[in-house]
Amino acid sequence: MASVKEGLLYSESHEWVKVEGNIAVVGVSDFAQAEMGDITYVDLPSEGDVLSKDEDFGALESVKASSDLYAPVSGTVVEVNSALEETPEKINEDPYGAWIVKIEMKDPSELDDLMAPDVYSAKNSK
């Protein structure tokens, strides 16, 4: 079974969020990377991009599938993990360490729409 890390919030589309002040650090869950298989490419947004909640901002590609990434909160991209362009497999190796993007949140109350670890785990263990 895929691991779910405590202390994070999770979206329906399998992104995780670590809140650091007004910054949402975003990655993909262990469940998502396991479902996709070996990730071969990450399409990243650009720093300064303005995202709306639930808008796609990039994509992951694997030998099995392609999957869009969706913004769990609205805001401005302040940093991207450009190392993933060269080593996308880091998402498979450490999904909770290989963050994808950092978003300066426009409306932190949007975090209320995300799931706690136990809820996300229960929803994805069926």
Side-chain angles (χ1 to χ4, degrees), residues 16-85:
W16 57 258
V17 175
K18 179 179 177 188
V19 180
E20 296 180 345
N22 196 38
I23 303 296
V25 182
V26 180
V28 295
S29 72
D30 189 34
F31 176 85
Q33 71 80 23
E35 289 285 301
M36 288 197 68
D38 292 337
I39 294 171
T40 57
Y41 177 74
V42 181
D43 180 26
L44 297 168
S46 299
E47 286 183 21
D49 284 359
V50 177
L51 307 176
S52 296
K53 182 177 173 357
D54 299 327
E55 169 188 23
D56 67 274
F57 68 84
L60 299 178
E61 292 179 14
S62 73
V63 290
K64 295 195 314 191
S66 177
S67 179
D68 287 336
L69 296 166
Y70 295 94
V73 293
S74 301
T76 303
V77 175
V78 292
E79 192 175 347
V80 296
N81 189 350
S82 56
L84 294 176
E85 292 175 325

Side-chain angles (χ1 to χ4, degrees), residues 78-125:
V78 292
E79 192 175 347
V80 296
N81 189 350
S82 56
L84 294 176
E85 292 175 325
E86 298 294 320
T87 54
E89 66 274 8
K90 292 283 185 206
I91 292 171
N92 295 116
E93 294 165 8
D94 184 10
Y96 298 113
W99 61 275
I100 295 171
V101 67
K102 294 183 181 182
I103 301 169
E104 185 176 352
M105 294 182 282
K106 182 175 140 195
D107 181 4
S109 72
E110 291 176 338
L111 295 168
D112 296 343
D113 295 337
L114 301 176
M115 291 176 270
D118 58 331
V119 176
Y120 180 78
S121 184
K123 187 174 180 107
N124 292 292
S125 63

